[in-house]
Amino acid sequence: MALLEVKNLNLELNGKKILNNLNFEIWKGYVHAIMGTNGAGKSTLANTIMGLSGYENISGDILFKGKSLKTKTISERARDGITLGWQEPARYEGLKIEDFLNASAKRKNTEELKKALSTVGIKPEDHLNRAVDKTLSGGERKKIELASILLMEPEIAFLDEPDSGIDIESISRIFEVVKILKEKGTTVVFITHSLAVLSRADHAFLMCKGQIVDKGDRQKIKNYFKEECIECEIKDPEVKKEEKRTDER
Amino acid sequence: MKDNEIKKSLFKYVKDMHAMENDPRSAKLTIHGNKVISGNSVKGLTVESDEKEQGVDIKLELADNTKIEKPVLLCFGVIPENGIQKINLDVVIGKNSEISLKAHCVFPNAVDVQHIMNAEITLRDNAKYKYFERHIHSPEGGINVIPKAAINIGKNAVFSTEFELIEGRVGNMDIEYITYVDDYGTADMSARVAGSENDKLKISETSFLKGKYSKAALTTKIAVRDKAKADVYNKIVAEGDYSRGHVDCKEIIKDIAEANAVPIVGVKNSTAHVTHEASIGSVDKKQLETLMARGLSEENASDLIIRGMLSQT
Ligand SMILES: Nc1ncnc2c1ncn2[C@@H]1O[C@H](COP(=O)(O)OP(=O)(O)O)[C@@H](O)[C@H]1O
Ligand SMILES: [Mg+2]
């Protein structure tokens, strides 16, 4: 049985159809990538699976371990074992990294928290008492968010653009953490438009205009993406502009 | 109740006081209701108290050129459910002197308690005065807290005060602080308060920047829930050459609570500059949903976010 199953999923936002009759299954134990150009609907899909507010008005269904998530709150989905890493993690005021991590942690002890921070490349002794606020860089917040996901020990983690805002030296570290997550039994789903991220996945889905148009091993999806999507994107000036901005980072 | 029992009940909430109780190196004063329970002073610091029928007069005077090493510990409280405490505080900090005070106001059982404080504080030139006040209230909310203070800040003197009420119900609170700042002087006032049920809190902080290069920062952080109501009136009037001020007010509301912020900034000198910032709203959605996506309930997530916000000075 699939770990997560999306059935005839439709979502409109402000009168615009964003998810268009999606059907796919996510198998347990792999690192998946949901690949697509900007605006394909990837983040919307992840937010919808997590049950974020504004994304509730769906038709179709999402099943986790065979059970519908439709009426479940975010907290309930998280307790079932589903989590999401935001493309741009939230900033808090005054909330200590220690308290933030502790809130997520399955095993609540300082040693575990420290270990998780070290794993993502953040020095625990300098950071445990700092706040998850604007004095941290976007990349640091992203790593701290990843540490919180490690500590949560979820069954499935959607990571929205896991490489965005991360400096080149740290990117390999992020993928190390993903490997650890996988070893600990978490099914990881990258939400990404980056070929570099795709290359770290075992399996991929290609998303375009709110639909899954292809799936398979990463090489197949990579070729498709390179040949079809990038070409297609060039024709759309809005997408091109967006893509360029992301590449500049 | 015997004095000793009272002390024990009060100090349960004041760790420092408990630890330093018999340490002569730290100055202390404990007042229960309108009665002075205990106290000691240190060299250079004169503490006089006069118990009157309607309240206690306290005079605190620090000689010139004196630096008090350890924070002066003050404990004001009412242990029974009912009572009145009225304190008239007169503080003078001498030239080039430095002092830090930590006050705990403890009303853990209050059902009908009044705590009224009238303070007049004078900082002579170059003085440094740091004041921290933490309130510990009962969960019943039957308390009136009415502190008023007028503060004169001398040349190049630094006044900083921090007010914290995040434990127990606020009850009814009406704070009014006014500072007058002379040349190169600084006034730094901050308050952090959490209200619930039918708490009513009013904070009014004012700085008159009289002298040249005088500065003021007024920071208020409030969280209100249920039917609580918060009104924050922060005001800076800049008159001195090159004086600078900033008003910052952040309020988080939940349920059917109400928060109002009325920043008033006035500038009467073209070289002066005053800014203000106010934000009122519910808990940020992304912050909340992130914590919920890690398994916290909405309630626990929002509590954690609010506690974080209020913990920051
Ligand atoms: N709240 C919204 N209202 C209307 N349109 C939206 C909303 N959120 C996203 N969209 C649109 O949905 C499309 C998919 O967005 P998104 O899921 O963020 O794409 P991706 O993550 O693949 O880049 C885009 O065209 C975007 O403009
Ligand atoms: Mg996206």
Side-chain angles (χ1 to χ4, degrees), chain A residues 11-19 34-47 54-55 87 160-161 191-193 207 209-210 242:
Chain A
L11 176 72
E12 277 186 16
L13 295 174
N14 292 322
K16 190 177 152 200
K17 191 143 201 156
I18 311 293
L19 302 181
I34 295 176
M35 183 75 188
T37 52
N38 277 301
K42 307 180 298 294
S43 296
T44 303
L45 174 60
N47 296 349
Y55 299 86
Q87 174 169 356
D160 199 350
E161 307 290 358
I191 302 293
T192 184
H193 70 277
M207 192 168 178
K209 299 196 170 104
E242 182 70 14

PDB file of all heavy atoms in Angstrom, chain A residues 11-19 34-47 54-55 87 160-161 191-193 207 209-210 242, ligand 1:
ATOM      1  N   LEU A  11      -8.092  21.831  -6.584  1.00  0.00           N
ATOM      2  CA  LEU A  11      -8.141  23.003  -5.704  1.00  0.00           C
ATOM      3  C   LEU A  11      -8.158  24.275  -6.545  1.00  0.00           C
ATOM      4  O   LEU A  11      -7.363  24.437  -7.472  1.00  0.00           O
ATOM      5  CB  LEU A  11      -6.926  23.024  -4.773  1.00  0.00           C
ATOM      6  CG  LEU A  11      -6.822  24.248  -3.861  1.00  0.00           C
ATOM      7  CD1 LEU A  11      -7.853  24.230  -2.747  1.00  0.00           C
ATOM      8  CD2 LEU A  11      -5.415  24.359  -3.266  1.00  0.00           C
ATOM      9  N   GLU A  12      -9.059  25.143  -6.191  1.00  0.00           N
ATOM     10  CA  GLU A  12      -9.094  26.471  -6.819  1.00  0.00           C
ATOM     11  C   GLU A  12      -8.689  27.499  -5.792  1.00  0.00           C
ATOM     12  O   GLU A  12      -9.082  27.429  -4.635  1.00  0.00           O
ATOM     13  CB  GLU A  12     -10.524  26.793  -7.274  1.00  0.00           C
ATOM     14  CG  GLU A  12     -10.879  26.208  -8.616  1.00  0.00           C
ATOM     15  CD  GLU A  12     -12.259  26.670  -9.108  1.00  0.00           C
ATOM     16  OE1 GLU A  12     -12.784  27.665  -8.567  1.00  0.00           O
ATOM     17  OE2 GLU A  12     -12.783  26.022 -10.025  1.00  0.00           O
ATOM     18  N   LEU A  13      -7.899  28.453  -6.213  1.00  0.00           N
ATOM     19  CA  LEU A  13      -7.574  29.577  -5.336  1.00  0.00           C
ATOM     20  C   LEU A  13      -7.976  30.851  -6.060  1.00  0.00           C
ATOM     21  O   LEU A  13      -7.573  31.060  -7.205  1.00  0.00           O
ATOM     22  CB  LEU A  13      -6.067  29.610  -5.018  1.00  0.00           C
ATOM     23  CG  LEU A  13      -5.485  28.447  -4.212  1.00  0.00           C
ATOM     24  CD1 LEU A  13      -3.977  28.564  -4.118  1.00  0.00           C
ATOM     25  CD2 LEU A  13      -6.099  28.373  -2.821  1.00  0.00           C
ATOM     26  N   ASN A  14      -8.744  31.654  -5.410  1.00  0.00           N
ATOM     27  CA  ASN A  14      -9.249  32.888  -6.026  1.00  0.00           C
ATOM     28  C   ASN A  14      -9.816  32.653  -7.425  1.00  0.00           C
ATOM     29  O   ASN A  14      -9.517  33.384  -8.369  1.00  0.00           O
ATOM     30  CB  ASN A  14      -8.144  33.948  -6.102  1.00  0.00           C
ATOM     31  CG  ASN A  14      -7.761  34.432  -4.710  1.00  0.00           C
ATOM     32  OD1 ASN A  14      -8.612  34.577  -3.842  1.00  0.00           O
ATOM     33  ND2 ASN A  14      -6.475  34.620  -4.497  1.00  0.00           N
ATOM     34  N   GLY A  15     -10.584  31.601  -7.552  1.00  0.00           N
ATOM     35  CA  GLY A  15     -11.242  31.333  -8.822  1.00  0.00           C
ATOM     36  C   GLY A  15     -10.348  30.727  -9.891  1.00  0.00           C
ATOM     37  O   GLY A  15     -10.780  30.497 -11.022  1.00  0.00           O
ATOM     38  N   LYS A  16      -9.095  30.447  -9.516  1.00  0.00           N
ATOM     39  CA  LYS A  16      -8.184  29.888 -10.508  1.00  0.00           C
ATOM     40  C   LYS A  16      -7.867  28.447 -10.121  1.00  0.00           C
ATOM     41  O   LYS A  16      -7.528  28.166  -8.965  1.00  0.00           O
ATOM     42  CB  LYS A  16      -6.895  30.726 -10.504  1.00  0.00           C
ATOM     43  CG  LYS A  16      -5.955  30.428 -11.644  1.00  0.00           C
ATOM     44  CD  LYS A  16      -4.741  31.372 -11.574  1.00  0.00           C
ATOM     45  CE  LYS A  16      -3.528  30.715 -12.204  1.00  0.00           C
ATOM     46  NZ  LYS A  16      -2.267  31.349 -11.759  1.00  0.00           N
ATOM     47  N   LYS A  17      -7.971  27.563 -11.096  1.00  0.00           N
ATOM     48  CA  LYS A  17      -7.695  26.165 -10.803  1.00  0.00           C
ATOM     49  C   LYS A  17      -6.181  25.968 -10.680  1.00  0.00           C
ATOM     50  O   LYS A  17      -5.436  26.181 -11.628  1.00  0.00           O
ATOM     51  CB  LYS A  17      -8.242  25.291 -11.932  1.00  0.00           C
ATOM     52  CG  LYS A  17      -8.235  23.838 -11.589  1.00  0.00           C
ATOM     53  CD  LYS A  17      -9.465  23.129 -12.152  1.00  0.00           C
ATOM     54  CE  LYS A  17      -9.677  21.855 -11.382  1.00  0.00           C
ATOM     55  NZ  LYS A  17     -11.043  21.395 -11.428  1.00  0.00           N
ATOM     56  N   ILE A  18      -5.727  25.556  -9.498  1.00  0.00           N
ATOM     57  CA  ILE A  18      -4.280  25.408  -9.280  1.00  0.00           C
ATOM     58  C   ILE A  18      -3.895  23.929  -9.284  1.00  0.00           C
ATOM     59  O   ILE A  18      -2.887  23.546  -9.846  1.00  0.00           O
ATOM     60  CB  ILE A  18      -3.835  26.061  -7.952  1.00  0.00           C
ATOM     61  CG1 ILE A  18      -4.390  27.487  -7.818  1.00  0.00           C
ATOM     62  CG2 ILE A  18      -2.321  26.060  -7.837  1.00  0.00           C
ATOM     63  CD1 ILE A  18      -3.866  28.501  -8.785  1.00  0.00           C
ATOM     64  N   LEU A  19      -4.691  23.096  -8.633  1.00  0.00           N
ATOM     65  CA  LEU A  19      -4.449  21.652  -8.683  1.00  0.00           C
ATOM     66  C   LEU A  19      -5.558  21.036  -9.526  1.00  0.00           C
ATOM     67  O   LEU A  19      -6.748  21.221  -9.248  1.00  0.00           O
ATOM     68  CB  LEU A  19      -4.455  21.055  -7.267  1.00  0.00           C
ATOM     69  CG  LEU A  19      -3.436  21.646  -6.292  1.00  0.00           C
ATOM     70  CD1 LEU A  19      -3.522  20.946  -4.941  1.00  0.00           C
ATOM     71  CD2 LEU A  19      -2.016  21.583  -6.858  1.00  0.00           C
ATOM     72  N   ILE A  34       9.138  16.123  -6.264  1.00  0.00           N
ATOM     73  CA  ILE A  34       8.073  16.627  -7.122  1.00  0.00           C
ATOM     74  C   ILE A  34       8.679  17.819  -7.833  1.00  0.00           C
ATOM     75  O   ILE A  34       9.005  18.837  -7.233  1.00  0.00           O
ATOM     76  CB  ILE A  34       6.809  16.992  -6.312  1.00  0.00           C
ATOM     77  CG1 ILE A  34       6.223  15.710  -5.689  1.00  0.00           C
ATOM     78  CG2 ILE A  34       5.783  17.679  -7.217  1.00  0.00           C
ATOM     79  CD1 ILE A  34       5.026  15.921  -4.789  1.00  0.00           C
ATOM     80  N   MET A  35       8.888  17.609  -9.110  1.00  0.00           N
ATOM     81  CA  MET A  35       9.696  18.520  -9.913  1.00  0.00           C
ATOM     82  C   MET A  35       8.765  19.320 -10.797  1.00  0.00           C
ATOM     83  O   MET A  35       7.757  18.796 -11.289  1.00  0.00           O
ATOM     84  CB  MET A  35      10.597  17.607 -10.761  1.00  0.00           C
ATOM     85  CG  MET A  35      11.582  18.273 -11.629  1.00  0.00           C
ATOM     86  SD  MET A  35      12.921  18.879 -10.589  1.00  0.00           S
ATOM     87  CE  MET A  35      13.810  19.823 -11.818  1.00  0.00           C
ATOM     88  N   GLY A  36       9.093  20.559 -11.017  1.00  0.00           N
ATOM     89  CA  GLY A  36       8.280  21.360 -11.925  1.00  0.00           C
ATOM     90  C   GLY A  36       8.778  22.783 -11.955  1.00  0.00           C
ATOM     91  O   GLY A  36       9.466  23.224 -11.031  1.00  0.00           O
ATOM     92  N   THR A  37       8.427  23.480 -12.992  1.00  0.00           N
ATOM     93  CA  THR A  37       8.878  24.867 -13.113  1.00  0.00           C
ATOM     94  C   THR A  37       8.090  25.735 -12.132  1.00  0.00           C
ATOM     95  O   THR A  37       7.127  25.294 -11.527  1.00  0.00           O
ATOM     96  CB  THR A  37       8.648  25.384 -14.545  1.00  0.00           C
ATOM     97  OG1 THR A  37       7.285  25.140 -14.882  1.00  0.00           O
ATOM     98  CG2 THR A  37       9.554  24.679 -15.542  1.00  0.00           C
ATOM     99  N   ASN A  38       8.509  26.972 -12.027  1.00  0.00           N
ATOM    100  CA  ASN A  38       7.824  27.896 -11.128  1.00  0.00           C
ATOM    101  C   ASN A  38       6.369  28.056 -11.524  1.00  0.00           C
ATOM    102  O   ASN A  38       6.056  28.196 -12.698  1.00  0.00           O
ATOM    103  CB  ASN A  38       8.492  29.268 -11.167  1.00  0.00           C
ATOM    104  CG  ASN A  38       9.688  29.300 -10.249  1.00  0.00           C
ATOM    105  OD1 ASN A  38       9.553  29.075  -9.055  1.00  0.00           O
ATOM    106  ND2 ASN A  38      10.860  29.517 -10.805  1.00  0.00           N
ATOM    107  N   GLY A  39       5.515  27.997 -10.560  1.00  0.00           N
ATOM    108  CA  GLY A  39       4.092  28.192 -10.828  1.00  0.00           C
ATOM    109  C   GLY A  39       3.362  26.913 -11.191  1.00  0.00           C
ATOM    110  O   GLY A  39       2.158  26.932 -11.453  1.00  0.00           O
ATOM    111  N   ALA A  40       4.056  25.793 -11.177  1.00  0.00           N
ATOM    112  CA  ALA A  40       3.422  24.520 -11.547  1.00  0.00           C
ATOM    113  C   ALA A  40       2.345  24.098 -10.541  1.00  0.00           C
ATOM    114  O   ALA A  40       1.432  23.352 -10.874  1.00  0.00           O
ATOM    115  CB  ALA A  40       4.484  23.435 -11.665  1.00  0.00           C
ATOM    116  N   GLY A  41       2.506  24.575  -9.304  1.00  0.00           N
ATOM    117  CA  GLY A  41       1.537  24.209  -8.263  1.00  0.00           C
ATOM    118  C   GLY A  41       2.135  23.303  -7.198  1.00  0.00           C
ATOM    119  O   GLY A  41       1.414  22.735  -6.371  1.00  0.00           O
ATOM    120  N   LYS A  42       3.448  23.194  -7.170  1.00  0.00           N
ATOM    121  CA  LYS A  42       4.127  22.275  -6.239  1.00  0.00           C
ATOM    122  C   LYS A  42       3.914  22.673  -4.774  1.00  0.00           C
ATOM    123  O   LYS A  42       3.554  21.846  -3.939  1.00  0.00           O
ATOM    124  CB  LYS A  42       5.647  22.236  -6.538  1.00  0.00           C
ATOM    125  CG  LYS A  42       5.999  21.937  -7.976  1.00  0.00           C
ATOM    126  CD  LYS A  42       7.499  21.919  -8.203  1.00  0.00           C
ATOM    127  CE  LYS A  42       8.208  23.248  -7.933  1.00  0.00           C
ATOM    128  NZ  LYS A  42       7.860  24.348  -8.852  1.00  0.00           N
ATOM    129  N   SER A  43       4.177  23.949  -4.487  1.00  0.00           N
ATOM    130  CA  SER A  43       4.000  24.388  -3.092  1.00  0.00           C
ATOM    131  C   SER A  43       2.546  24.270  -2.685  1.00  0.00           C
ATOM    132  O   SER A  43       2.234  23.860  -1.555  1.00  0.00           O
ATOM    133  CB  SER A  43       4.455  25.838  -2.912  1.00  0.00           C
ATOM    134  OG  SER A  43       5.836  25.932  -3.151  1.00  0.00           O
ATOM    135  N   THR A  44       1.656  24.618  -3.603  1.00  0.00           N
ATOM    136  CA  THR A  44       0.224  24.500  -3.313  1.00  0.00           C
ATOM    137  C   THR A  44      -0.118  23.057  -2.953  1.00  0.00           C
ATOM    138  O   THR A  44      -0.847  22.806  -1.989  1.00  0.00           O
ATOM    139  CB  THR A  44      -0.595  24.951  -4.540  1.00  0.00           C
ATOM    140  OG1 THR A  44      -0.216  26.284  -4.867  1.00  0.00           O
ATOM    141  CG2 THR A  44      -2.084  24.893  -4.262  1.00  0.00           C
ATOM    142  N   LEU A  45       0.448  22.124  -3.690  1.00  0.00           N
ATOM    143  CA  LEU A  45       0.198  20.704  -3.414  1.00  0.00           C
ATOM    144  C   LEU A  45       0.683  20.329  -2.008  1.00  0.00           C
ATOM    145  O   LEU A  45      -0.047  19.703  -1.231  1.00  0.00           O
ATOM    146  CB  LEU A  45       0.892  19.843  -4.477  1.00  0.00           C
ATOM    147  CG  LEU A  45       0.860  18.330  -4.251  1.00  0.00           C
ATOM    148  CD1 LEU A  45      -0.567  17.806  -4.205  1.00  0.00           C
ATOM    149  CD2 LEU A  45       1.667  17.609  -5.341  1.00  0.00           C
ATOM    150  N   ALA A  46       1.904  20.731  -1.678  1.00  0.00           N
ATOM    151  CA  ALA A  46       2.454  20.402  -0.363  1.00  0.00           C
ATOM    152  C   ALA A  46       1.621  21.046   0.744  1.00  0.00           C
ATOM    153  O   ALA A  46       1.311  20.409   1.761  1.00  0.00           O
ATOM    154  CB  ALA A  46       3.908  20.857  -0.274  1.00  0.00           C
ATOM    155  N   ASN A  47       1.253  22.313   0.556  1.00  0.00           N
ATOM    156  CA  ASN A  47       0.451  23.020   1.558  1.00  0.00           C
ATOM    157  C   ASN A  47      -0.912  22.354   1.738  1.00  0.00           C
ATOM    158  O   ASN A  47      -1.451  22.292   2.852  1.00  0.00           O
ATOM    159  CB  ASN A  47       0.257  24.486   1.155  1.00  0.00           C
ATOM    160  CG  ASN A  47       1.568  25.251   1.115  1.00  0.00           C
ATOM    161  OD1 ASN A  47       2.597  24.767   1.583  1.00  0.00           O
ATOM    162  ND2 ASN A  47       1.561  26.444   0.541  1.00  0.00           N
ATOM    163  N   GLY A  54      -6.424  28.089   4.068  1.00  0.00           N
ATOM    164  CA  GLY A  54      -6.471  28.640   2.716  1.00  0.00           C
ATOM    165  C   GLY A  54      -6.419  27.552   1.662  1.00  0.00           C
ATOM    166  O   GLY A  54      -6.668  27.793   0.490  1.00  0.00           O
ATOM    167  N   TYR A  55      -6.083  26.336   2.077  1.00  0.00           N
ATOM    168  CA  TYR A  55      -5.945  25.235   1.123  1.00  0.00           C
ATOM    169  C   TYR A  55      -6.923  24.096   1.442  1.00  0.00           C
ATOM    170  O   TYR A  55      -6.705  22.963   1.056  1.00  0.00           O
ATOM    171  CB  TYR A  55      -4.510  24.694   1.133  1.00  0.00           C
ATOM    172  CG  TYR A  55      -3.464  25.720   0.747  1.00  0.00           C
ATOM    173  CD1 TYR A  55      -2.918  26.571   1.699  1.00  0.00           C
ATOM    174  CD2 TYR A  55      -3.059  25.844  -0.579  1.00  0.00           C
ATOM    175  CE1 TYR A  55      -1.976  27.532   1.351  1.00  0.00           C
ATOM    176  CE2 TYR A  55      -2.115  26.795  -0.945  1.00  0.00           C
ATOM    177  CZ  TYR A  55      -1.577  27.639   0.032  1.00  0.00           C
ATOM    178  OH  TYR A  55      -0.651  28.580  -0.328  1.00  0.00           O
ATOM    179  N   GLN A  87       9.550  26.708   2.302  1.00  0.00           N
ATOM    180  CA  GLN A  87      10.594  27.285   1.446  1.00  0.00           C
ATOM    181  C   GLN A  87      11.296  28.415   2.191  1.00  0.00           C
ATOM    182  O   GLN A  87      12.516  28.489   2.227  1.00  0.00           O
ATOM    183  CB  GLN A  87       9.999  27.812   0.140  1.00  0.00           C
ATOM    184  CG  GLN A  87      11.047  28.547  -0.694  1.00  0.00           C
ATOM    185  CD  GLN A  87      10.591  28.849  -2.112  1.00  0.00           C
ATOM    186  OE1 GLN A  87       9.505  28.464  -2.533  1.00  0.00           O
ATOM    187  NE2 GLN A  87      11.443  29.524  -2.857  1.00  0.00           N
ATOM    188  N   ASP A 160      10.054  21.909   0.954  1.00  0.00           N
ATOM    189  CA  ASP A 160       9.805  22.835  -0.149  1.00  0.00           C
ATOM    190  C   ASP A 160      11.087  23.595  -0.496  1.00  0.00           C
ATOM    191  O   ASP A 160      11.598  24.350   0.327  1.00  0.00           O
ATOM    192  CB  ASP A 160       8.673  23.803   0.247  1.00  0.00           C
ATOM    193  CG  ASP A 160       8.038  24.474  -0.966  1.00  0.00           C
ATOM    194  OD1 ASP A 160       8.578  24.338  -2.087  1.00  0.00           O
ATOM    195  OD2 ASP A 160       6.986  25.132  -0.789  1.00  0.00           O
ATOM    196  N   GLU A 161      11.569  23.398  -1.690  1.00  0.00           N
ATOM    197  CA  GLU A 161      12.811  24.019  -2.190  1.00  0.00           C
ATOM    198  C   GLU A 161      13.919  23.936  -1.122  1.00  0.00           C
ATOM    199  O   GLU A 161      14.355  24.950  -0.586  1.00  0.00           O
ATOM    200  CB  GLU A 161      12.573  25.484  -2.604  1.00  0.00           C
ATOM    201  CG  GLU A 161      11.412  25.710  -3.582  1.00  0.00           C
ATOM    202  CD  GLU A 161      11.661  25.195  -5.008  1.00  0.00           C
ATOM    203  OE1 GLU A 161      12.768  24.677  -5.284  1.00  0.00           O
ATOM    204  OE2 GLU A 161      10.725  25.285  -5.834  1.00  0.00           O
ATOM    205  N   ILE A 191      10.199  19.232  -2.875  1.00  0.00           N
ATOM    206  CA  ILE A 191       9.373  20.058  -3.745  1.00  0.00           C
ATOM    207  C   ILE A 191      10.374  20.994  -4.403  1.00  0.00           C
ATOM    208  O   ILE A 191      10.999  21.797  -3.717  1.00  0.00           O
ATOM    209  CB  ILE A 191       8.373  20.877  -2.884  1.00  0.00           C
ATOM    210  CG1 ILE A 191       7.487  19.970  -2.045  1.00  0.00           C
ATOM    211  CG2 ILE A 191       7.572  21.838  -3.733  1.00  0.00           C
ATOM    212  CD1 ILE A 191       6.522  19.125  -2.819  1.00  0.00           C
ATOM    213  N   THR A 192      10.580  20.862  -5.699  1.00  0.00           N
ATOM    214  CA  THR A 192      11.729  21.582  -6.245  1.00  0.00           C
ATOM    215  C   THR A 192      11.623  21.897  -7.733  1.00  0.00           C
ATOM    216  O   THR A 192      10.878  21.258  -8.466  1.00  0.00           O
ATOM    217  CB  THR A 192      13.023  20.770  -5.985  1.00  0.00           C
ATOM    218  OG1 THR A 192      14.148  21.508  -6.438  1.00  0.00           O
ATOM    219  CG2 THR A 192      12.981  19.429  -6.723  1.00  0.00           C
ATOM    220  N   HIS A 193      12.368  22.910  -8.133  1.00  0.00           N
ATOM    221  CA  HIS A 193      12.500  23.164  -9.572  1.00  0.00           C
ATOM    222  C   HIS A 193      13.971  23.042  -9.965  1.00  0.00           C
ATOM    223  O   HIS A 193      14.379  23.452 -11.032  1.00  0.00           O
ATOM    224  CB  HIS A 193      11.943  24.543  -9.923  1.00  0.00           C
ATOM    225  CG  HIS A 193      12.793  25.675  -9.415  1.00  0.00           C
ATOM    226  ND1 HIS A 193      12.697  26.150  -8.135  1.00  0.00           N
ATOM    227  CD2 HIS A 193      13.754  26.389 -10.023  1.00  0.00           C
ATOM    228  CE1 HIS A 193      13.572  27.130  -7.980  1.00  0.00           C
ATOM    229  NE2 HIS A 193      14.233  27.287  -9.102  1.00  0.00           N
ATOM    230  N   MET A 207       5.589  17.766 -12.404  1.00  0.00           N
ATOM    231  CA  MET A 207       4.323  18.484 -12.255  1.00  0.00           C
ATOM    232  C   MET A 207       4.297  19.675 -13.194  1.00  0.00           C
ATOM    233  O   MET A 207       5.282  20.388 -13.361  1.00  0.00           O
ATOM    234  CB  MET A 207       4.185  18.958 -10.805  1.00  0.00           C
ATOM    235  CG  MET A 207       2.804  19.461 -10.488  1.00  0.00           C
ATOM    236  SD  MET A 207       2.616  19.666  -8.711  1.00  0.00           S
ATOM    237  CE  MET A 207       0.968  20.310  -8.680  1.00  0.00           C
ATOM    238  N   LYS A 209       1.380  22.710 -14.563  1.00  0.00           N
ATOM    239  CA  LYS A 209       0.030  23.301 -14.561  1.00  0.00           C
ATOM    240  C   LYS A 209      -0.964  22.508 -13.696  1.00  0.00           C
ATOM    241  O   LYS A 209      -2.073  22.191 -14.130  1.00  0.00           O
ATOM    242  CB  LYS A 209      -0.486  23.409 -15.986  1.00  0.00           C
ATOM    243  CG  LYS A 209       0.391  24.320 -16.869  1.00  0.00           C
ATOM    244  CD  LYS A 209      -0.315  24.730 -18.140  1.00  0.00           C
ATOM    245  CE  LYS A 209       0.467  25.796 -18.861  1.00  0.00           C
ATOM    246  NZ  LYS A 209       1.201  25.296 -20.036  1.00  0.00           N
ATOM    247  N   GLY A 210      -0.540  22.183 -12.515  1.00  0.00           N
ATOM    248  CA  GLY A 210      -1.453  21.539 -11.574  1.00  0.00           C
ATOM    249  C   GLY A 210      -1.709  20.076 -11.825  1.00  0.00           C
ATOM    250  O   GLY A 210      -2.616  19.488 -11.237  1.00  0.00           O
ATOM    251  N   GLU A 242      11.011  34.869 -13.159  1.00  0.00           N
ATOM    252  CA  GLU A 242      11.004  34.226 -11.847  1.00  0.00           C
ATOM    253  C   GLU A 242      12.179  33.257 -11.719  1.00  0.00           C
ATOM    254  O   GLU A 242      12.923  33.272 -10.746  1.00  0.00           O
ATOM    255  CB  GLU A 242       9.655  33.494 -11.696  1.00  0.00           C
ATOM    256  CG  GLU A 242       9.433  32.805 -10.383  1.00  0.00           C
ATOM    257  CD  GLU A 242       9.243  33.768  -9.235  1.00  0.00           C
ATOM    258  OE1 GLU A 242       9.014  34.980  -9.475  1.00  0.00           O
ATOM    259  OE2 GLU A 242       9.354  33.316  -8.103  1.00  0.00           O
TER     260      GLU A 242
HETATM  261  N1  LIG C   1      -3.590  32.171  -2.908  1.00  0.00           N
HETATM  262  C1  LIG C   1      -3.494  32.101  -4.257  1.00  0.00           C
HETATM  263  N2  LIG C   1      -4.431  32.658  -5.025  1.00  0.00           N
HETATM  264  C2  LIG C   1      -4.351  32.586  -6.371  1.00  0.00           C
HETATM  265  N3  LIG C   1      -3.370  32.002  -7.021  1.00  0.00           N
HETATM  266  C3  LIG C   1      -2.396  31.430  -6.317  1.00  0.00           C
HETATM  267  C4  LIG C   1      -2.392  31.450  -4.887  1.00  0.00           C
HETATM  268  N4  LIG C   1      -1.306  30.791  -4.450  1.00  0.00           N
HETATM  269  C5  LIG C   1      -0.641  30.389  -5.559  1.00  0.00           C
HETATM  270  N5  LIG C   1      -1.299  30.763  -6.676  1.00  0.00           N
HETATM  271  C6  LIG C   1      -0.913  30.489  -8.048  1.00  0.00           C
HETATM  272  O1  LIG C   1      -0.865  29.100  -8.191  1.00  0.00           O
HETATM  273  C7  LIG C   1       0.164  28.724  -9.050  1.00  0.00           C
HETATM  274  C8  LIG C   1       1.034  27.685  -8.391  1.00  0.00           C
HETATM  275  O2  LIG C   1       1.742  28.290  -7.331  1.00  0.00           O
HETATM  276  P1  LIG C   1       2.770  27.479  -6.442  1.00  0.00           P
HETATM  277  O3  LIG C   1       2.071  26.310  -5.893  1.00  0.00           O
HETATM  278  O4  LIG C   1       3.382  28.412  -5.490  1.00  0.00           O
HETATM  279  O5  LIG C   1       3.805  27.022  -7.535  1.00  0.00           O
HETATM  280  P2  LIG C   1       5.249  26.384  -7.410  1.00  0.00           P
HETATM  281  O6  LIG C   1       5.506  26.077  -5.995  1.00  0.00           O
HETATM  282  O7  LIG C   1       5.203  25.194  -8.264  1.00  0.00           O
HETATM  283  O8  LIG C   1       6.205  27.391  -7.946  1.00  0.00           O
HETATM  284  C9  LIG C   1       0.887  29.981  -9.479  1.00  0.00           C
HETATM  285  O9  LIG C   1       0.409  30.405 -10.729  1.00  0.00           O
HETATM  286  C10 LIG C   1       0.488  30.942  -8.396  1.00  0.00           C
HETATM  287  O10 LIG C   1       0.482  32.263  -8.886  1.00  0.00           O
END
